Amino acid sequence: MGALRSLVRRMPPPVFTAFAGTAAFCAYFSMYAFRKPFAAANYLLPGWPYEIDYKSALLTAQVLGYALSKLIGIRVIAEIGRHGRAQAIVGLIALAWAALLMLALVPAPWSIACLFVNGLPLGMIWGLVFSYLEGRRTSEMLGAMLCASFILSSGAVKSAAVLMMQAGMTETWMPAATGALFFPLLIASVIALEALPPPDAADEAERTVRVPMLKADRVAFLRDHGLAMMLLVLGYVLLTAIRDFRDNFAAEIWAGLGYRDVAAMFSASELPVAAIALVALGSLMAVRNNMRALLAMHMVIIGGAALLGLSTLAFQAGLLPPLTWMILTGAGLYLAYTPFNAMLFDRMVAAIGRAGNAGFLIYIADASGYLGSVALLLYRSLAAPGSDWLGFYIHWAYVTAVIVTLLTFASAVYFIQRERPRAAALSA
């Protein structure tokens, strides 16, 4: 490890950025192999006696565990330092894999609890991985590379899962088998992350020093900036819910579009989405002024919401074919959703100028967002059980597009009003 750390410290900045971003990408890509493969199966159980179908029950249990993990992470990720992160990542993912093994061994409906246990440790992984990247001058590019992992990995993992089932693997054993394939990549990427040096003095001067935030620090931050957080988080709740729905029920949505059991469709629709998000968000690294970059990210979120709504309108008008529509709605969703997971809150901490860390803010948003995801799942299963998957997705795409645009615009106005007195003082 010492030799690798020495080598990483000597890397030119572009090489270091590529190395760090790739390590983070691979670490989180690996995590998805333990979280998402079961979403590729239908899990239709003959004689299932409950009103909520078995797959929705599994998804709800996993998301509840994931949301609880995010709530716990508000404190844990805010206070964590540099030591023990690698062991935590590997140990938490190993626990999630053990839960997938139990899914294959425990009969329904008791197997639903296995998915709750599976989601519980995985919610911590994002904050642990992002803690290696935040507070750097290249955090936008690093964050975009990390975010590309959850765009690409979901489709790739589900494609692998479909191929496994087509080769004869049962639905119950497929999730654990898929996860096992990714353990070597996980270990290698965590070793690479551990070799990264902390942000240097130039990073801290431009992006504010990153330190653990204790309870008093967290309370003070929310007291001063709670309104903006509330506006942004409310929009993020909708984005998370519709993004999770699109991700978890992609097989059903594609079936509604006329593509059933076509493994390549999962990846084909997500590769362009990742490219669009990576280029758009990574380019914000060129904006050195933190407040301008923060406002630019607000505009990216609004643009993503508009793309989600307008592309859906064009699809319903017969102007777009299904694959193009899925790519454009995915691009819109991820352009609006992705900034919340990395660069938006990283720039917010830098723009405000208060020592702290972005992980705390990310986990407030994530905890709220996944509760929204659970609420949408339960609403679909209990209040609108007769609605088809495709029509349900289209309806909520419109709702999300309108409300996120309004909330994000209000947040941008908040920061503009806050910045005016400081700008006036500097020009005086």
Side-chain angles (χ1 to χ4, degrees), residues 164-416:
M164 278 194 163
M165 290 186 292
Q166 289 175 348
M169 181 73 69
T170 65
E171 288 185 341
T172 53
W173 280 103
M174 173 270 294
T178 303
L181 293 175
F182 285 82
F183 265 120
L185 180 63
L186 172 69
I187 300 300
S189 58
V190 169
I191 290 173
L193 286 173
E194 273 293 290
L196 302 180
D200 59 24
D203 290 323
E204 292 177 353
E206 186 167 319
R207 294 297 180 93
T208 306
V209 63
R210 302 308 165 101
V211 297
M213 295 179 72
L214 302 180
K215 182 178 180 180
D217 304 314
R218 300 194 296 270
V219 170
F221 189 98
L222 292 178
R223 182 183 62 240
D224 295 341
H225 307 288
L227 176 59
M229 282 297 297
M230 181 185 71
L231 293 169
L232 290 169
V233 168
L234 286 174
Y236 185 68
V237 168
L238 284 170
L239 289 168
T240 303
I242 187 66
R243 175 255 177 188
D244 237 25
F245 183 87
R246 178 182 182 271
D247 196 24
N248 290 327
F249 296 101
E252 288 79 1
I253 294 172
W254 278 116
L257 293 168
Y259 298 87
R260 187 180 296 274
D261 296 326
V262 183
M265 297 307 296
F266 294 115
S267 298
S269 62
E270 304 309 293
L271 282 169
V273 170
I276 293 168
L278 182 65
V279 171
L281 296 170
S283 64
L284 293 175
M285 183 179 67
V287 184
R288 312 309 298 184
N289 181 280
N290 291 311
M291 183 57 68
R292 289 177 183 172
L294 179 61
L295 293 173
M297 286 177 201
H298 279 69
M299 296 304 104
V300 169
I301 295 168
I302 291 172
L307 180 58
L308 171 65
L310 293 174
S311 62
T312 301
L313 187 64
F315 170 70
Q316 287 198 291
L319 301 176
L320 293 176
L323 178 58
T324 303
W325 173 64
M326 283 292 278
I327 290 172
L328 290 177
T329 59
L333 268 175
Y334 280 106
L335 281 173
Y337 173 87
T338 301
F340 289 90
N341 291 272
M343 54 284 292
L344 176 69
F345 294 126
D346 187 70
R347 284 286 196 163
M348 185 184 294
V349 170
I352 291 168
R354 175 180 289 175
N357 62 71
F360 162 58
L361 303 178
I362 291 171
Y363 269 67
I364 289 177
D366 260 353
S368 305
Y370 282 102
L371 289 175
S373 181
V374 171
L376 189 64
L377 275 173
L378 293 176
Y379 174 78
R380 165 62 180 76
S381 298
L382 302 177
S387 61
D388 68 281
W389 302 101
L390 178 59
F392 190 82
Y393 175 61
I394 288 173
H395 171 77
W396 282 97
Y398 285 130
V399 172
T400 301
V402 172
I403 296 178
V404 168
T405 297
L406 295 174
L407 290 171
T408 308
F409 180 79
S411 174
V413 171
Y414 167 88
F415 282 108
I416 291 170

